[in-house]
Amino acid sequence: MGNGRVLISCQEFNPRRWHQLLSRSRTVVLEPDGARDPSVEYAVVWKHRPGALSKLPNLKIIFSVGAGVDHIFADPDLPDVPIVRVVADNLTQYMTEYVVWRVLDHHRQGMAYRAQQARRTWHEPPQPPADAIHVGIMGFGTLGRAAAKALLALGFKVNGWSRSPRSAEGVNTFHGADGLDAFLGATDILVSLLPLTPATRGIIDYALLGKLNRDNALGGAFLINAGRGRLQKSADIVRALDDGLIKEASLDVFETEPLPKTSPLWAHPKVFVTPHAAATSDPVHLVPPMLAQMDAFERGETLRNLVDREAGY
Ligand code: NDP
Ligand code: OXD
């Protein structure tokens, strides 16, 4: 059993299974009892209450339960300790599946076929091949690069957009604000896998969607957002759909979650909604590497998958 205790601080999420698995090698405490515990050295968090970590005098590391860490930076009293995010094959695989599923559904005209089936219509529209379609991955990081590989294997053309220059075999890469318009103009199906930061908040708006390539084999542009809800302006997406800037959208994330029952996205015939389920954090796969990092840290080794506080991801 390692020495440093672990505080689990979560909202909107039941940490029972995380507690069980972490307890196999660490003493685990919960709020409110653990909130001021001087023997707590690690915090495992998901949307923790602002200020909840500020009373831990010996906190050494914050572990995010997810790959995204915007929920951590929402805390104005965040202690100045390293933050470790999730990078795990299991989560990457889930996200790759989601992206491939949604790209193929738009490419193979799933929405049109479902509408036809409801009308009992037997009609085969023209089907462009994958290599006629350019998928643009906005947020070309761990998840974006893995999805790109799978899409390339299916024959799609792939573009990637990141903050700094990146290269990947077979992918046409763009970066920075200066590269954004060229990236969008070369993209038929936009896949957002960006983190939510001050620089990316609200980036998916009407103007951005208008820059996608609509003159393509599918007869229009498409949006898939599995990054974060606050990257997008939902009202702009609805307007872009209604004005024909984009043909269809698959949305896994929303400005407000759960998506309010009153949202027009639920009933929009061109929108496919999933409840922030693209890539779930499975504690069976994510707790062992967390525990291994705690042990490695106590042996004086360097931490992996650290968040860059200045960049916000
Ligand atoms: P990474 O940090 O590995 O990748 C982020 C990518 O976004 C990088 O390529 C980065 O550029 C790029 N980026 C960041 N800021 C900007 C910017 N201002 N302009 C252009 N590019 C930018 O993260 P992951 O791939 O692991 O995860 C991405 C996001 O996916 C998470 O932050 C989370 O929000 C979301 N997510 C959603 C899930 C779901 O179930 N819906 C599940 C898991 C994650 P650079 O390469 O230069 O650093
Ligand atoms: C994550 C998420 O960031 O589940 O991992 O959204």
Side-chain angles (χ1 to χ4, degrees):
M1 192 65 76
N3 284 333
R5 287 187 173 186
V6 180
L7 170 76
I8 301 181
S9 182
C10 294
Q11 293 189 101
E12 298 174 23
F13 158 86
N14 183 347
R16 191 182 53 83
R17 193 74 181 117
W18 293 78
H19 191 301
Q20 277 174 354
L21 293 166
L22 284 161
S23 299
R24 287 187 184 165
S25 33
R26 296 271 160 182
T27 301
V28 180
V29 293
L30 294 171
E31 291 158 327
D33 306 348
R36 291 170 186 268
D37 186 337
S39 50
V40 166
E41 294 184 4
Y42 309 106
V44 172
V45 306
W46 180 254
K47 298 185 181 175
H48 68 274
R49 265 183 311 99
L53 309 180
S54 63
K55 310 274 182 328
L56 297 165
N58 292 309
L59 184 66
K60 303 252 179 346
I61 308 173
I62 299 169
F63 288 89
S64 172
V65 158
V69 290
D70 46 292
H71 61 105
I72 294 178
F73 288 118
D75 180 355
D77 293 321
L78 193 62
D80 188 12
V81 298
I83 301 169
V84 172
R85 71 187 198 92
V86 168
V87 177
D89 289 349
N90 167 260
L91 183 120
T92 303
Q93 170 70 20
Y94 275 134
M95 186 58 86
T96 299
E97 289 167 5
Y98 171 85
V99 172
V100 168
W101 172 41
R102 298 320 309 152
V103 167
L104 281 176
D105 191 51
H106 294 299
H107 168 232
R108 296 305 303 256
Q109 309 177 73
M111 284 192 189
Y113 280 119
R114 286 189 287 276
Q116 281 192 185
Q117 184 172 347
R119 297 192 304 271
R120 300 173 186 238
T121 299
W122 186 272
H123 165 67
E124 184 184 355
Q127 178 57 56
D131 66 4
I133 309 303
H134 294 77
V135 182
I137 301 182
M138 188 162 72
F140 198 57
T142 305
L143 302 179
R145 287 194 297 272
K149 262 195 199 157
L151 293 167
L152 286 170
L154 288 169
F156 291 98
K157 298 280 193 317
V158 180
N159 303 318
W161 184 65
S162 48
R163 195 164 63 101
S164 48
R166 302 276 171 198
S167 62
E169 201 180 330
V171 179
N172 197 12
T173 52
F174 303 79
H175 69 276
D178 292 348
L180 182 57
D181 283 5
F183 163 79
L184 296 169
T187 291
D188 309 320
I189 300 180
L190 178 67
V191 177
S192 158
L193 288 174
L194 281 169
L196 179 66
T197 70
T200 61
R201 184 177 296 270
I203 190 170
I204 304 172
D205 61 7
Y206 191 81
L208 178 140
L209 295 171
K211 292 176 184 168
L212 292 169
N213 180 36
R214 293 188 291 282
D215 184 16
N216 58 40
L218 284 169
F222 299 79
L223 167 68
I224 299 168
N225 184 13
R228 278 289 180 267
R230 288 184 191 158
L231 298 169
Q232 74 199 15
K233 296 187 176 160
S234 292
D236 285 23
I237 294 175
V238 172
R239 185 154 72 98
L241 284 162
D242 294 348
D243 292 353
L245 259 53
I246 54 173
K247 265 185 104 165
E248 297 169 0
S250 288
L251 305 175
D252 184 58
V253 286
F254 304 91
E255 287 106 314
T256 305
E257 295 179 1
L259 181 62
K261 297 256 191 266
T262 52
S263 168
L265 295 172
W266 283 114
H268 198 294
K270 299 293 179 189
V271 178
F272 185 85
V273 169
T274 43
H276 198 141
T280 200
S281 286
D282 180 348
V284 170
H285 292 269
L286 304 190
V287 165
M290 263 178 201
L291 290 168
Q293 287 247 69
M294 293 172 198
D295 294 345
F297 175 76
E298 288 172 10
R299 289 194 301 270
E301 294 169 22
T302 312
L303 289 170
R304 289 177 296 110
N305 309 324
L306 282 176
V307 170
D308 174 345
R309 278 190 177 239
E310 207 168 317
Y313 67 97

